[in-house]
Amino acid sequence: MKKKLLLLFSLLLCFGSYSQIITGTITDKINGEPLIGATVIIKGTTKGASADINGAFTLELNQPLPVTLVSSYVGYVNLEQTITDAAVKVQFRMVAVQTNLKEVSITDTRLTEKQREAPLTVEAMDIIAIKETPAANFYEGLGQLKGVDITSASIGFKVINTRGFNSTSPVRSLQIIDGVDNQSPGLNFSLGNFLGCSEMDVLKVDLVAGASSAFYGPNAFNGVISMNTRSPFVKPGFEISAKTGSRNLLETSMRYAVVIKNKKGVDKLGMKFNAFFMRANDWEANNLAATPQSKSKVGNPGRYDAVNIYGDEYNAISDATSRTVGDPGLGIYYRRGYAEKDLVDYNTENVKLCAAFHYKVKEENEIIYSSNFGYGTTVYQGDNRYSLKDIQFYQNRIEYRKKDKFFIRVYETHENAGKSYDAYFTALLIQRAAKKDGDWNKDYLNYYNTFIQPKVMAQPGYIPAYQGYGQNYIDSLQAFLSTITDSLTVWHNLNLNYADNYIQPGSTNFAAFYEPGTARFDSVFNSVISKESFAQGGSRFFDKSALYHAHGEYKFELTGLDITTGASLRFYRPNSRGTIFSDTSYFRVDSLFNSDNTFNRVDSVSLRKKITNDEFGIYIGFEKRLFAEKLKLNATARLDKNENFPYLFSPALSAVYSANSNHVFRASFSSAIRNPTLTDQYLYYQVGRAILIGNINGFQNLATVESFINYLNTKNIDTLQYFNVAPVVPEKVKTVEVGYRASLFNHLYIDANYYYSFYDDFIGYRIATDIDTFTLYQPFSPPSKEIQFNNFLRIASNATERVTTQGFSIGLNYYFKKFYSLNGNYSFNKLNKESSDPLIPAFNTPENKFNIGFAARDIITENIKNWGFNINYRWVE
């Protein structure tokens, strides 16, 4: 692996070229304030640069002097300067437009010219917008951008998605910081901003919506969140901030940057250090409503399956609805379970430490080394509810680059799950530590038949059963039972208390219910979460997975074409000791189905296997400007290869037409591929009543769950229905998009787009029953076919049908009275066709959502200067 990285590094390290460099600043002539985002171009060309947070700019000059530079900024008069000596620092001191000042509006789109001409839909937050966001932090503020879905799984865990298939596991979106993918190496998606940069260090955020593999590689399936941090050369010094709020919220961050110059007074070495700490009491998940899957609703005497109670799920052995006549009033009954608040740590914490060193080899050539560390505790919503406790991330990057010319970047990411565990599985294990489901069910039935059933039959109005009533009798009995619901509820509670706490004299296999808040509960709870799942019979994860990545890119011009070419190489090294993946230690538990509807463990098989997964990609892009540079054409082609899947091609074409500086039209065709994640390929994870399993090799002769349940009721083996699941393959998407950006009447900015997407081989899951049939031979009896139940499986799989989606979004910014603006955006997303394929309903993005905002910036009053405000209202269907 190291040899491959060195080879790629050596191939791309030679990139570079000679040029003259012009530096300078752009400021307000009256107050000297830097004009952030002001532009300077070489007159008669489109070559230029933008001013940074200090108003400074650096412009590469590839033509002989003298040249004339033109600086411009919205609301200011353009300035020109003729440059004869590149060594002299240029100073532009711009004058604001004075004519009719009270009515002039500043149309600030917060988009650079490059962003305005982007072929895809780009939403942006610059450093000013980040500071002004009316949200707890900039990451949560991304939800105010059009077309963006934000999900809050907890205070410490926010998830960003775009264009449908919104998920708390955002595997279809790519999140990069300074070009570095900050995904969890094991999970293959980003844990929000848990491993990221401090808000104080963020320079800008670009959110690219839509299929983007050709531009960003695999996993940029539905969008890209690209964050850039501030170079230490941009703003040295010390900064600190603090936030506080309800729920014991405390957030502090610190940034320190220093620049060391050489003997000639030229910046040579820049260093920056960031520290971030956040703590809060998370919201408790206390929804006691019945889940959509619960067969009983609130008010059922035998209880129901509540959303945030774990261990109370439906179990077929506790369903007596088919025995209404023999066991009147028993119905469906559920175990007590445990509330989430008794199982997870709601004391959220997040610590992030970052250090970066920038060394300028030449004026524009830099070597960068950075190291990031993330640590914390939060609650994560995935297939189950998980307590991510003391989880850690380490990330190191080394990069050599020349801005807008080339870069070679190598980085690694390591994670450590710490003391993280599955809260749902923990509830099941604690409950089973007292009594297994089958034993608890026997005690429940015995008490009901002995003490409760006579009470039911003694109630006035009860009609004894006798031959001949049939369905009419059952209907009459159900009507009678509905009149004594209150009594049945009391009796079922007595029954529950008995089944939970009865211990057969002399037995050492059972224990009373572990009551939360007691020393007994704490003891068994700590025992369960300290043992690794499968190998030790606990619920704790072991995850020390790693990701290694190398990426190089080079830009050059050839016969009027701007060409970009690059390559990337990635290595996944999962390491979960069998607690998540089928690596190192793999345990398969087989069970026999018994006549009393219980499953007994009979054996386990241990296999040893180390998992690796490698992939690489190459790409090339062409850009051509025509018709006096009003039309920009782009074509990009990318080829990717994962070791387990064939070569995949993802092209993109686009055209951007700028009628003038106020009207930009765009049309594009883009494509993307998404390789199955490590979990799609290698997952082997027990979630309690089923196993979630990857599908790199495919499965055969699996029984449908429906037919297996029917077999449980009828014992007719001939009714079982079987099916096969093909190995999982990469999913693909193609998107056609048109868009329009305009500045109208010097007051109104519009950005609108429409897209239509085609998904093939969409990755979802199939549910199946893993069973074996065998022939049972007994003396003096004919041979009989029997069933061995192994487990229920949730298997990664591809949809067999094409999925299409479409959407539209529009954003409006109206500026008035110099300081004020009204902002609004609306987004529409729709799955075009309902399908019988169970994989497709993963599209759960609301069809309609909008934001309305009112803001002001740089208000000047008699006593206070440069103050403002920002208010936003967000509505989601």
Side-chain angles (χ1 to χ4, degrees):
M1 180 184 66
K2 291 182 179 179
K3 291 182 179 179
K4 294 180 181 178
L5 292 176
L6 290 172
L7 176 61
L8 185 60
F9 187 85
S10 62
L11 288 174
L12 295 166
L13 192 61
C14 59
F15 297 158
S17 65
Y18 171 78
S19 62
Q20 296 186 86
I21 302 299
I22 297 176
T23 61
T25 58
I26 308 175
T27 59
D28 185 294
K29 185 175 182 179
I30 303 300
N31 57 30
E33 291 290 328
L35 299 181
I36 304 170
T39 59
V40 57
I41 65 170
I42 302 171
K43 189 173 182 178
T45 74
T46 59
K47 300 292 184 182
S50 298
D52 62 22
I53 192 171
N54 295 315
F57 69 87
T58 302
L59 179 62
E60 182 180 2
L61 188 65
N62 293 316
Q63 63 187 76
L65 297 174
V67 297
T68 299
L69 301 183
V70 181
S71 68
S72 60
Y73 193 65
V74 176
Y76 285 78
V77 179
N78 289 0
L79 285 181
E80 293 188 6
Q81 284 196 48
T82 300
I83 310 302
T84 58
D85 184 355
V88 177
K89 193 170 185 178
V90 183
Q91 292 184 331
F92 286 101
R93 296 174 180 174
M94 303 186 68
V95 178
V97 176
Q98 298 296 321
T99 306
N100 198 20
L101 192 59
K102 290 184 178 180
E103 296 301 326
V104 170
S105 313
I106 301 174
T107 307
D108 176 13
T109 66
R110 294 178 183 168
L111 291 176
T112 65
E113 181 179 356
K114 183 177 180 180
Q115 290 168 329
R116 284 196 297 271
E117 294 183 353
L120 299 175
T121 297
V122 179
E123 295 293 308
M125 291 181 71
D126 63 12
I127 191 168
I128 298 175
I130 289 169
K131 289 181 178 179
E132 294 178 349
T133 182
N137 54 68
F138 83 97
Y139 199 83
E140 193 167 346
L142 293 173
Q144 298 157 21
L145 303 178
K146 69 177 185 294
V148 176
D149 293 299
I150 183 166
T151 300
S152 298
S154 61
I155 285 180
F157 190 84
K158 313 291 183 182
V159 179
I160 300 293
N161 286 280
T162 62
R163 294 196 173 173
F165 305 105
N166 189 20
S167 167
T168 55
S169 304
V171 292
R172 292 178 176 85
S173 296
L174 177 66
Q175 183 169 296
I176 55 178
I177 301 175
D178 294 327
V180 175
D181 189 344
N182 76 333
Q183 68 168 264
S184 159
L187 298 175
N188 295 159
F189 59 81
S190 299
L191 296 178
N193 200 34
F194 208 73
L195 170 66
C197 42
S198 165
E199 180 174 312
M200 185 171 286
D201 197 39
V202 180
L203 179 64
K204 67 172 182 174
V205 182
D206 292 331
L207 195 149
V208 183
S212 308
S213 276
F215 302 92
Y216 294 96
N219 303 331
F221 202 69
N222 277 357
V224 178
I225 303 168
S226 176
M227 292 178 271
N228 291 96
T229 63
R230 290 189 282 165
S231 166
F233 295 114
V234 171
K235 191 173 183 181
F238 178 77
E239 300 170 80
I240 189 169
S241 75
K243 298 179 183 179
T244 186
S246 60
R247 309 199 66 82
N248 199 31
L249 172 67
L250 174 63
E251 180 180 303
T252 60
S253 57
M254 177 275 291
R255 180 183 187 271
Y256 175 69
V258 62
V259 175
I260 299 175
K261 301 178 182 293
N262 62 14
K263 294 180 180 180
K264 297 180 180 180
V266 178
D267 293 346
K268 203 65 178 176
L269 175 64
M271 298 177 286
K272 68 175 181 179
F273 305 91
N274 282 275
F276 171 90
F277 171 77
M278 186 275 288
R279 68 140 196 252
N281 296 331
D282 212 332
W283 297 290
E284 290 186 2
N286 55 6
N287 184 353
L288 300 184
T291 67
Q293 296 81 22
S294 180
K295 289 184 176 292
S296 305
K297 303 306 177 186
V298 177
N300 176 54
R303 297 162 303 282
Y304 58 94
D305 177 8
V307 174
N308 291 128
I309 303 292
Y310 310 139
D312 63 342
E313 293 73 31
Y314 171 83
N315 193 326
I317 63 175
S318 299
D319 186 347
T321 51
S322 63
R323 309 195 304 273
T324 302
V325 176
D327 293 311
L330 185 56
I332 304 176
Y333 48 99
Y334 301 76
R335 295 197 72 169
R336 184 181 303 187
Y338 289 94
E340 180 179 295
K341 65 184 180 64
D342 298 318
L343 300 167
V344 303
D345 187 349
Y346 285 128
N347 295 308
T348 292
E349 286 187 354
N350 186 202
V351 175
K352 291 182 284 193
L353 302 175
C354 310
F357 304 87
H358 294 236
Y359 179 75
K360 287 192 174 184
V361 181
K362 297 179 181 179
E363 180 64 31
E364 286 289 285
N365 292 39
E366 280 186 278
I367 295 176
I368 302 171
Y369 171 77
S370 65
S371 182
N372 297 335
F373 169 73
Y375 166 89
T377 295
T378 188
V379 179
Y380 163 58
Q381 172 67 57
D383 299 300
N384 281 347
R385 289 282 281 182
Y386 304 101
S387 182
L388 302 183
K389 190 172 178 63
D390 299 340
I391 191 170
Q392 302 170 46
F393 292 93
Y394 309 85
Q395 195 168 68
N396 297 290
R397 165 180 67 116
I398 186 167
E399 180 173 344
Y400 180 52
R401 72 182 184 188
K402 182 177 183 180
K403 186 178 180 181
D404 296 325
K405 188 65 176 180
F406 71 85
F407 67 80
I408 172 68
R409 178 185 303 133
V410 179
Y411 61 89
E412 61 178 1
T413 305
H414 298 263
E415 67 182 326
N416 185 335
K419 299 176 182 177
S420 301
Y421 58 91
D422 183 332
Y424 169 73
F425 197 29
T426 299
L428 295 188
L429 291 175
I430 294 175
Q431 196 160 249
R432 290 174 185 172
K435 286 184 183 180
K436 294 181 180 178
D437 289 348
D439 297 316
W440 180 89
N441 186 67
K442 287 179 181 179
D443 289 341
Y444 200 97
L445 280 174
N446 289 338
Y447 187 86
Y448 193 89
N449 291 331
T450 303
F451 298 101
I452 305 302
Q453 187 168 308
K455 294 179 183 291
V456 174
M457 295 179 174
Q459 294 299 300
Y462 175 77
I463 307 173
Y466 63 90
Q467 189 71 26
Y469 267 95
Q471 186 61 44
N472 290 335
Y473 172 74
I474 294 175
D475 294 340
S476 299
L477 182 58
Q478 293 284 17
F480 158 74
L481 293 173
S482 66
T483 66
I484 61 169
T485 300
D486 291 343
S487 296
L488 285 173
T489 301
V490 172
W491 296 333
H492 269 280
N493 287 335
L494 292 173
N495 215 133
L496 174 67
N497 186 63
Y498 174 85
D500 278 348
N501 297 296
Y502 170 72
I503 307 298
Q504 187 175 1
S507 173
T508 59
N509 297 325
F510 308 110
F513 181 80
Y514 292 97
E515 192 70 43
T518 65
R520 291 182 67 248
F521 176 85
D522 293 342
S523 176
V524 70
F525 172 77
N526 291 327
S527 175
V528 168
I529 67 172
S530 64
K531 297 176 183 177
E532 292 177 8
S533 57
F534 293 127
Q536 299 173 6
S539 61
R540 184 171 171 177
F541 299 120
F542 177 93
D543 187 8
K544 291 188 176 181
S545 299
L547 178 156
Y548 304 90
H549 189 98
H551 184 191
E553 185 176 278
Y554 180 60
K555 296 180 180 180
F556 61 98
E557 186 177 346
L558 181 66
T559 62
L561 283 176
D562 291 327
I563 302 175
T564 300
T565 184
S568 64
L569 185 64
R570 175 170 292 192
F571 309 98
Y572 290 104
R573 295 296 179 263
N575 178 15
S576 75
R577 290 212 297 230
T579 63
I580 301 173
F581 303 109
S582 55
D583 65 329
T584 308
S585 297
Y586 171 98
F587 287 83
R588 169 178 172 174
V589 178
D590 290 337
S591 304
L592 284 175
F593 172 69
N594 298 328
S595 58
D596 62 352
N597 285 348
T598 61
F599 304 126
N600 290 328
R601 172 173 172 171
V602 294
D603 63 6
S604 63
V605 179
S606 176
L607 304 177
R608 302 280 173 176
K609 181 171 64 173
K610 183 178 180 181
I611 296 173
T612 62
N613 195 248
D614 302 336
E615 59 188 33
F616 72 89
I618 56 174
Y619 60 93
I620 187 169
F622 303 91
E623 180 179 309
K624 178 70 175 178
R625 292 180 179 267
L626 302 169
F627 307 119
E629 306 214 354
K630 289 188 174 182
L631 178 64
K632 184 177 73 172
L633 301 177
N634 285 86
T636 305
R638 183 181 180 99
L639 189 68
D640 286 283
K641 176 70 172 74
N642 182 287
E643 65 174 278
N644 292 329
F645 307 106
Y647 288 93
L648 293 171
F649 181 61
S650 49
L653 300 169
S654 68
V656 179
Y657 180 71
S658 302
N660 52 50
S661 60
N662 292 330
H663 299 274
V664 179
F665 302 86
R666 68 184 187 275
S668 67
F669 164 81
S670 57
S671 59
I673 61 103
R674 184 174 80 84
N675 289 317
T677 63
L678 293 178
T679 56
D680 292 330
Q681 298 181 56
Y682 302 111
L683 183 67
Y684 191 89
Y685 176 54
Q686 172 68 259
V687 293
R689 302 186 189 276
I691 293 178
L692 312 186
I693 194 164
N695 184 19
I696 191 64
N697 295 315
F699 291 83
Q700 294 184 341
N701 299 321
L702 298 172
T704 65
V705 173
E706 295 77 14
S707 68
F708 180 70
I709 292 175
N710 182 62
Y711 164 79
L712 295 183
N713 294 325
T714 65
K715 296 297 188 289
N716 184 356
I717 198 171
D718 295 328
T719 62
L720 288 170
Q721 298 176 5
Y722 295 90
F723 67 99
N724 300 329
V725 180
V728 68
V729 299
E731 62 183 21
K732 302 98 179 170
V733 63
K734 298 177 178 62
T735 299
V736 178
E737 181 175 345
V738 293
Y740 171 65
R741 296 187 180 104
S743 298
L744 305 175
F745 319 117
N746 293 325
H747 292 273
L748 181 64
Y749 176 71
I750 300 174
D751 187 359
N753 74 286
Y754 169 81
Y755 73 90
Y756 197 99
S757 296
F758 306 82
Y759 293 86
D760 291 302
D761 296 317
F762 183 82
I763 297 176
Y765 306 101
R766 295 290 302 273
I767 309 298
T769 311
D770 182 16
I771 59 175
D772 294 320
T773 58
F774 62 94
T775 302
L776 181 64
Y777 296 93
Q778 295 182 358
F780 312 110
S781 298
S784 62
K785 287 186 177 180
E786 301 293 335
I787 293 296
Q788 176 176 295
F789 170 83
N790 298 322
N791 224 312
F792 293 111
L793 305 178
R794 195 203 69 178
I795 305 167
S797 181
N798 297 96
T800 56
E801 300 178 18
R802 166 170 279 188
V803 183
T804 63
T805 66
Q806 62 177 324
F808 167 80
S809 66
I810 184 169
L812 302 172
N813 296 59
Y814 181 73
Y815 301 87
F816 62 98
K817 297 294 184 183
K818 187 179 180 181
F819 306 114
Y820 304 97
S821 66
L822 284 172
N823 315 298
N825 59 64
Y826 165 77
S827 302
F828 169 80
N829 295 276
K830 183 176 177 60
L831 180 68
N832 290 322
K833 177 186 175 184
E834 295 297 334
S835 172
S836 59
D837 193 320
L839 277 66
I840 291 176
F843 187 97
N844 63 347
T845 293
E847 286 192 5
N848 300 283
K849 51 183 172 286
F850 65 82
N851 288 271
I852 298 176
F854 178 44
R857 176 187 292 184
D858 298 331
I859 298 176
I860 299 176
T861 59
E862 191 171 323
N863 299 318
I864 306 175
K865 293 183 178 181
N866 299 327
W867 65 276
F869 60 84
N870 198 346
I871 303 169
N872 188 81
Y873 172 78
R874 177 171 174 79
W875 182 88
V876 180
E877 187 175 18

